[in-house]
Amino acid sequence: MLVLFGPAFADPIAVETLFKESKADNFTLSPDGRYIALIAENPEHRRALYARDLDNGETHSWTLKGGNAYVNSYFWTSNEWLYFTSARPSRGMVDSFVARRDSDKFRVTDFEGRTNLMVDALIDREPILVLRPSEVESSLVEIHSETGVQLKTVATYRGYVRGATTDLNGNPRILRLGEERLEERLIHRAADSESWEPLGLPIDASLLGFGPDGTTLLVSDYFGRDRSALYRYNLAAKELSDPLFEDPVHDLHSTARLILDVSRKRPLGIRYEADRLTTIWFSPEIQQVQQILNDRYPETINSILGIDLTQGRFLFSSYSDRQPLIYRLLDYAQKKISDLWPTRPQIDPALMASTEVITFSSRDGLSLRGYLTTPREGQGPFPTVALVHGGPWLRDTWGFKPEAQFLASRGYAVLQINYRGSAGFGRKISYQHRGDLKGMNDDIEDGVRWAIKHGYTDPDRVGIMGGSFGGYAALYGVAFKPELYKCAISEVGISDWPEHIDSLKKDREYVYQLMIEYFGPDYRQTLAPLSPINQVDAITAPVFIAFGRQDSNVSPSQSKQMIQELTRRGHPPIVFARHWEGHGFFDEKIQSDYYRAVETFLAENL
């Protein structure tokens, strides 16, 4: 079969090369810094837990056999033992296990058959701390990490506890209460002998962690300002400090995380998403180590993930817009850096396209940001694909994006807009407009017109593509802006907003309540005019619709109805549907088939 390419790219990078990933994540150092653990795909294509001796390379791994079980989380409970959980999606089960890091054997820990939610690994002593939630009485108990035997009850509360936060010594100090979102609240106690009292912070405040003295909490929230910043909260006085740190553009609370050393006793810094991932170190010594890494790898973001000050070992990752993630280890004493695990070793960064940060103003004066990836070859204006993120209350970030590289390698510029409602850009942009669907779509259009004005984009060759909300935006684009968008690719997209929200009321009450909060109780009247299903007569551009028949987030009926209505009007879309997929395509072969179909569609229509 002849494969057409829109631009003159004779030998584009293979789909399998771009998307095939050595699935490895959750890298951690052991409490003494001598070993490393990670979750990765084993030779049988199952997610397994691995532990490796950093001195001699001895490696052991653990996973379950049979069915579709896979390892999904783990903790070091000591220098020698790991606790991990394994999910069985087809049976709705999560099992827990313990294993010695130097043995291939592992043991089931039923923890007395109760629901046990890990709260703290308590790595400086034998037990682990788990939460046992119940509508009648919830309890926090210490359990022997190897045998599963309950050792003692640390705290109880009459009612349902959703979660708990410990201080740096592993003492539970904050409880998050309530089964439903509207009932949630935070309570605190300063010592085990004291009673629980209201914490005095908003329920949606980000609690980053305790300070070393246990009397202060590092928190982030708006507190009456447009952007969230970092604060110190005095627990006894219930007083908030002046901002300790703030970013001039980006929120902290939506992405900020506290970084501790491997003993989990010392807060060393925070990390958050700005235009690029950013780390702020409290420690001048760690900042010096950071500078060593940046000098060695100046083209990448180098994020220190694990810090062992005793051994002088630093686990870190490196990545850029052209370089996929690589996990590395710095042995400071030996002045040595070792590559541990490249996630896409087949990628040559020299053949990848660059991604730049862009800024522009929306038609109503919002200062918006996004990313522009342009092909390595040729000069603009380029045919352009507006690649719209989902959510809609998520955001695009900077880094190696296979989808953007796929499109750029075929000669298309790729425009990713963090439209209003996208997380991380201040209350005015990220929260005040969360229900403004028209404004979100206008922002995407304004970004495209910015790219046209500045010579990046050919105004006669603009397509729009996305998944979930991005799939909705693609359909909206060709329905409401046919003069701008020449084709659309909608993956698991929403075509009928009122029907979509109605379906949530039956199956996902929490999400339904969020929709009512953002769109109001009269959503049927306000969102029907913004739904592509009610504007089908205006769609004449070519449309590609993709969906999984097992999608539980957006009903497949959303895509099926759109396909039916377009076909009735003489504009049948290209359809890509797979029975065993859900909210996206994750099987490697199906994913490859999908992007090859996208490639052909764009070549013929853009």
Side-chain angles (χ1 to χ4, degrees), residues 468-590:
S468 197
F469 176 87
Y472 156 70
L475 296 173
Y476 179 100
V478 290
F480 290 86
K481 299 294 176 181
E483 76 285 358
L484 179 63
Y485 300 110
K486 300 303 183 285
C487 63
I489 299 169
S490 174
E491 181 186 350
V492 298
I494 298 166
S495 61
D496 185 335
W497 273 96
E499 184 177 302
H500 172 63
I501 294 175
D502 287 345
S503 71
L504 296 173
K505 187 174 184 179
K506 305 172 189 175
D507 304 320
R508 302 166 69 199
E509 178 68 21
Y510 167 70
V511 181
Y512 173 76
Q513 293 298 333
L514 278 181
M515 294 295 180
I516 298 300
E517 179 181 331
Y518 296 145
F519 299 126
D522 58 347
Y523 63 87
R524 296 195 65 83
Q525 289 72 39
T526 58
L527 298 186
L530 299 174
S531 296
I533 197 67
N534 298 319
Q535 302 291 330
V536 178
D537 290 333
I539 300 177
T540 58
V543 174
F544 182 115
I545 294 179
F547 66 98
R549 299 184 189 277
Q550 306 299 318
D551 193 341
S552 59
N553 289 354
V554 174
S555 171
S557 65
Q558 293 279 323
S559 293
K560 292 177 182 178
Q561 188 178 4
M562 198 70 190
I563 293 166
Q564 182 180 31
E565 294 302 318
L566 285 169
T567 303
R568 283 179 54 194
R569 288 161 173 78
H571 299 290
I574 300 297
V575 177
F576 186 94
R578 293 297 182 270
H579 184 75
W580 293 112
E581 292 282 18
H583 200 57
F585 304 116
F586 303 98
D587 177 87
E588 286 187 1
K589 183 181 184 309
I590 291 175

Side-chain angles (χ1 to χ4, degrees), residues 64 75 122 233 237 269 271 273-274 372 424 444 446 525 558 576:
L64 270 66
F75 300 88
L122 304 176
Y233 182 67
R271 181 171 291 129
E273 286 284 356
L372 177 67
I444 298 164
D446 291 346
Q525 289 72 39
Q558 293 279 323
F576 186 94

